[in-house]
Amino acid sequence: MNSKDLYHAMSELDDDVLERSEAAGEYKKKNGWLKYCAVAACLCLVIIGTVIWRQSVASAPHYNKNTELTVSEYGVTIPKMDVSLSANEAADMFAFFIYQGRCYVQYEWVYDNTDIVGEYLGTATGLIDEWTTKEGYVELAGSISGDFYSVQGYDPSFMLCMTDADGTVSTYICNNGITLKYGSELYEDRLHLSGNFQSVQYESRSSWYFSQRERYQMNRIHDIILDFIKDMDLALFIPCDLVPLEEGKTSIVDTELYHLYFQMEDGTTVHLRLHENGYVRFQGMLKVCVQVSEESFNKLLELLDNHTDATAVSKTY
């Protein structure tokens, strides 16, 4: 397993890991004793992964628990990220670095287009680890090292990138220390979604959680998709903690339905999570969401549920 595989694997070990464990338990009950060992092995991997993840979260850049998102007439303010670490935890940190006082966290890899790499801006030192004191969190410090660049067409205050030896580009998003009111301030002003995507793929919640990679690609861009984007742009941002939940559900994670991937013309991807009752989250900024209209959302769900004008995508590992 290379570093990219490890990143993708660990990125899935979030609050959803509990649901995965429960699902594995149900699988064991339905399939009998002969599959007990296999399921037990999977559960051991999940438990080990959970331990590693919990250590990683403790030693990764994280939001100060005492600093909550605030809502005002100007929108939802996501506080600056608290990147102080605990020296009691020894695990790899998430990839991040500091530039012009902002903390940039890794979002995705772009495999097909190095033309997005713009102007050289600096070199991250990679001098931060779990033992670094608060005084070590200075300009250009981070958990990774290397040259970083602007991304063609994107505001450097929002997105930067690095290049790997194999030519792969990794993008980094500053998803904190900002205020968002309307969806358009993220999806248009920062991500330039409308008119700049060339295809749309999706997969169910279970496919994503269990890494089944059962994706479908829409054969054409439906008006339903365009109306959905317009609704997102007009919707107000709210903290995910304020989303009303039905009895028995503890977080917005429990309401997830689909993952939606807008493949952009420049090779980047706008990855959205769709939740019950029309709530939508951007994968690079999971603490806030917008709510689209019931009509728009239900029409989109009908497309996804029925795989209307969609083709299964070959699995890649």
Side-chain angles (χ1 to χ4, degrees), residues 156-228:
S157 68
F158 175 67
M159 185 186 296
L160 299 175
C161 69
M162 288 186 173
T163 58
D164 289 353
D166 61 1
T168 302
V169 180
S170 52
T171 59
Y172 292 79
I173 287 179
C174 178
N175 59 8
N176 55 91
I178 61 175
T179 298
L180 297 169
K181 185 171 185 178
Y182 295 104
S184 60
E185 295 171 14
L186 172 61
Y187 295 111
E188 305 304 335
D189 297 348
R190 290 175 170 83
L191 292 168
H192 317 308
L193 181 57
S194 293
N196 290 307
F197 66 94
Q198 58 184 7
S199 63
V200 182
Q201 296 184 1
Y202 63 92
E203 66 180 324
S204 68
R205 61 183 302 186
S206 60
S207 170
W208 193 85
Y209 287 147
F210 292 101
S211 300
Q212 295 169 337
R213 293 181 173 85
E214 294 179 349
R215 286 197 189 185
Y216 293 83
Q217 179 163 315
M218 295 183 178
N219 296 328
R220 62 187 179 91
I221 305 302
H222 290 261
D223 288 340
I224 291 173
I225 290 290
L226 300 179
D227 290 341
F228 170 75

Side-chain angles (χ1 to χ4, degrees), residues 55-112:
Q55 290 179 336
S56 181
V57 168
S59 61
H62 62 281
Y63 286 98
N64 188 324
K65 295 180 179 179
N66 297 321
T67 306
E68 298 180 353
L69 278 65
T70 58
V71 181
S72 69
E73 61 180 309
Y74 304 106
V76 180
T77 298
I78 306 173
K80 284 190 174 182
M81 189 169 282
D82 178 0
V83 290
S84 60
L85 303 178
S86 170
N88 295 323
E89 305 291 347
D92 290 338
M93 293 180 288
F94 296 164
F96 79 98
F97 61 88
I98 299 168
Y99 174 60
Q100 293 188 343
R102 305 184 188 96
C103 183
Y104 290 81
V105 181
Q106 189 167 30
Y107 169 59
E108 68 165 346
W109 274 280
V110 178
Y111 297 93
D112 302 324

Side-chain angles (χ1 to χ4, degrees), residues 113-157:
N113 189 2
T114 58
D115 292 340
I116 65 172
V117 179
E119 177 187 3
Y120 166 77
L121 296 177
T123 301
T125 64
L127 296 178
I128 292 179
D129 59 23
E130 64 271 18
W131 308 107
T132 305
T133 63
K134 190 171 184 179
E135 289 72 22
Y137 290 82
V138 296
E139 184 73 3
L140 301 180
S143 62
I144 55 170
S145 62
D147 298 339
F148 58 87
Y149 305 81
S150 63
V151 180
Q152 297 282 11
Y154 295 88
D155 190 330
S157 68

